[in-house]
Amino acid sequence: MTAPEQKTAALKLVAEQLRNAAEIIQRYQYRAQWDRFPADVAEQLADAHDSAQHIAVALDRVAPAFSHRPATDTTPSAKAAQGQSVAAPAPHPPASRRL
C-alpha cells in the first residue's frame, strides 16, 4: 500500500471509529432519557452524537482525495510560496462622514 493509500485508509478507519462512537453515545443518550437525567445531559449527548456522525461523513468525503496527488496547488498560499503574484483584495473605500 502506498503512502497516499495509507492516508486514505487511515481517514476511513477514523470515520468508522467515529460511527462506532456515535452509536455508543446514542445508547448513553437513550439511557439518560430513560433514567430521567437532567434534560441538558441527553441534549449534550445528542449534540455529541450528531457531531461524531457529521465528522465521519466529512472524513468519508475527503479521504479519497488523499489517494490522488493534485496536479497543481492553485491556492493563494501555494502561489505565494512559489513566488507567483497573488492578487490582493481591493481595499474598502473609507466611509464618508456626515457632520
Side-chain angles (χ1 to χ4, degrees), residues 23-92:
E23 287 181 28
I24 293 167
I25 292 167
Q26 189 172 46
R27 288 184 210 141
Y28 278 99
Q29 174 195 351
Y30 293 153
R31 182 69 189 247
Q33 291 169 331
W34 180 261
D35 289 343
R36 298 181 189 255
F37 282 34
D40 68 318
V41 172
E43 289 172 13
Q44 289 178 34
L45 288 167
D47 289 344
H49 170 265
D50 292 346
S51 294
Q53 284 189 318
H54 287 0
I55 294 168
V57 168
L59 291 176
D60 285 335
R61 286 184 189 148
V62 301
F66 286 87
S67 290
H68 308 288
R69 284 193 100 133
T72 307
D73 189 352
T74 59
T75 61
S77 59
K79 286 182 179 181
Q82 295 172 0
Q84 297 175 1
S85 67
V86 178
H92 294 291

